[in-house]
Amino acid sequence: MTKLIDRLPQVRGEYRENAPLAPLTWFKVGGPAEILYRPADEEDLMDFLAGRPGDVPVTVIGVGSNLLIRSGGIDGVVVRLGKPFAKIEVAGERVVAGAAALDVTVAATAQKATLTGLEFLSGIPGSIGGAVRMNAGAYGSEVRDTLISVRAIDPLGHPHTLTADDLGLSYRHSDLPTDWIVTSATFQARGGNQATIAQAMQDIRDAREDTQPRRVRTGGSTFANPDGGKAWKLIDAAGCRGLRIGDAMVSELHCNFLLNMGEATAEDIEALGEEVRRRVRETSGVELRWEIRRIGKPAGQGSGEAQA
Ligand SMILES: Cc1cc2nc3c(=O)[nH]c(=O)nc-3n(C[C@H](O)[C@H](O)[C@H](O)COP(=O)(O)OP(=O)(O)OC[C@H]3O[C@@H](n4cnc5c(N)ncnc54)[C@H](O)[C@@H]3O)c2cc1C
């Protein structure tokens, strides 16, 4: 049988077969990518998408801070945007950031230019591509408040400019189809005051220190807050604080965080999450929605997509 790599178009970027993905995620779990592709630039990405066989699935990942990759890995091609997509430019009160730019770097760049409105990004450990996809937010602000437009490549390799309205951003959600790849985003900031911006960013750092586990393997908030409620309160009321399956544990400090305490597998973490959902359903009747994106195949499963 022809190997997948031999069916893919020539690119200027890099292909790697059977590439470990666990090191590319915060949980540090999960199986490999059949092929990991790092595009050389946007044109290379467009050529790849236009030239790849239509039956080859493509999955884009950011810096893996909201991902649980199952142990069987991901079939097809996993795209990871790197340095060529990490440029940040300031034009007047607008900030144009490549999809691979880290949120925290975008916040710092805006601060340097004395622009306000993007401070919240300093508390989110993801990339701009992931922030747009998830409509990431914290401390009362979210991407949709300042996003003007994104540039995104469709599965056939065609570029599009989409407005924030086109993206249908809502709480930790966008309508962007899962097989479109964001390559950059333009934000509207406002002229601010250095000291106020610096203080806002410091307040975010302090609040994180107090309320979130640090230097741990986690995917951040596991479940979206239900309408009018807080996921962590329901999880706490269901008696799940500190609950464990293997090395997967519900954080004692912030019980909407699941932790990999060492040797947890993706299946341990997912099973723990499902157990939390079951207990919350039983105690409060609320059906929690996974905020963490679970992708890939369970261990031992043959080829085929399994995403949630
Ligand atoms: C300690 C911790 C704290 C966190 N705190 C917050 C918080 O306060 N607020 C918050 O909103 N989130 C928070 N998160 C979750 C996470 O940081 C965000 O969801 C972030 O936006 C994910 O970005 P990423 O680059 O890591 O994306 P990934 O986790 O790699 O991917 C997430 C999703 O985005 C998609 N994606 C990634 N890049 C692209 C792209 N270029 N084009 C299209 N789709 C793309 C992926 O396919 C996937 O569906 C936290 C996570 C951790 C670990």
Side-chain angles (χ1 to χ4, degrees):
M1 208 170 84
T2 317
K3 281 166 63 177
L4 175 55
I5 198 160
D6 297 326
R7 297 177 57 218
L8 297 177
Q10 289 276 334
V11 289
R12 287 177 289 111
E14 184 199 8
Y15 288 137
R16 271 184 69 196
E17 285 182 278
N18 201 26
L21 292 176
L24 304 183
T25 71
W26 273 61
F27 272 125
K28 301 284 181 266
V29 299
E34 192 173 0
I35 302 282
L36 180 64
Y37 165 47
R38 295 174 194 269
D41 50 35
E42 195 185 72
E43 201 183 322
D44 191 46
L45 173 64
M46 292 192 292
D47 289 345
F48 160 76
L49 289 167
R52 85 178 147 127
D55 63 330
V56 175
V58 173
T59 306
V60 61
I61 63 171
V63 293
S65 62
N66 200 50
L67 279 185
L68 182 60
I69 297 178
R70 300 190 180 99
S71 305
I74 300 181
D75 286 340
V77 178
V78 172
V79 177
R80 191 160 196 265
L81 306 181
K83 232 182 170 168
F85 295 85
K87 236 168 68 190
I88 305 169
E89 283 172 328
V90 176
E93 295 188 343
R94 289 192 169 187
V95 179
V96 183
L102 292 177
D103 299 347
V104 63
T105 316
V106 175
T109 305
Q111 177 191 13
K112 219 180 271 173
T114 321
L115 293 176
T116 186
L118 299 178
E119 293 88 340
F120 76 100
L121 286 173
S122 68
I124 301 172
S127 66
I128 288 298
V132 169
R133 156 80 57 211
M134 300 305 301
N135 185 26
Y139 303 106
S141 300
E142 55 186 6
V143 162
R144 76 169 157 188
D145 299 336
T146 44
L147 185 71
I148 297 175
S149 63
V150 301
R151 190 169 155 89
I153 315 298
D154 73 20
L156 297 177
H158 301 133
H160 300 264
T161 299
L162 304 172
T163 65
D165 282 348
D166 294 334
L167 292 171
L169 299 173
S170 59
Y171 172 58
R172 303 299 167 265
H173 170 85
S174 74
D175 289 339
L176 183 75
T178 53
D179 50 3
W180 285 46
I181 299 178
V182 173
T183 55
S184 70
T186 302
F187 296 92
Q188 181 71 58
R190 306 181 309 281
N193 169 286
Q194 260 307 329
T196 318
I197 297 167
Q199 188 58 52
M201 286 167 66
Q202 186 59 47
D203 289 348
I204 288 172
R205 269 191 294 276
D206 292 346
R208 299 247 144 188
E209 285 285 346
D210 292 347
T211 59
Q212 293 189 1
R214 311 277 297 171
R215 289 165 281 281
V216 288
R217 298 172 173 191
T218 182
S221 291
T222 311
F223 302 107
N225 287 325
D227 279 347
K230 292 276 182 209
W232 76 263
K233 282 192 179 164
L234 297 170
I235 295 168
D236 205 15
C240 296
R241 199 178 279 271
L243 189 68
R244 274 183 97 124
I245 291 183
D247 261 356
M249 187 176 122
V250 177
S251 166
E252 299 269 6
L253 183 63
H254 186 324
C255 61
N256 195 19
F257 277 40
L258 301 184
L259 311 179
N260 172 5
M261 302 301 288
E263 302 298 318
T265 63
E267 285 66 33
D268 294 334
I269 296 167
E270 190 166 10
L272 181 61
E274 286 301 328
E275 178 59 16
V276 169
R277 288 181 76 227
R278 191 187 67 75
R279 293 190 185 197
V280 167
R281 191 185 311 122
E282 239 173 53
T283 49
S284 65
V286 174
E287 195 71 56
L288 289 177
R289 166 172 78 83
W290 281 88
E291 180 174 324
I292 287 176
R293 310 297 293 244
R294 294 159 296 143
I295 60 175
K297 301 177 296 183
Q301 188 175 303
S303 78
E305 277 281 275
Q307 302 217 1

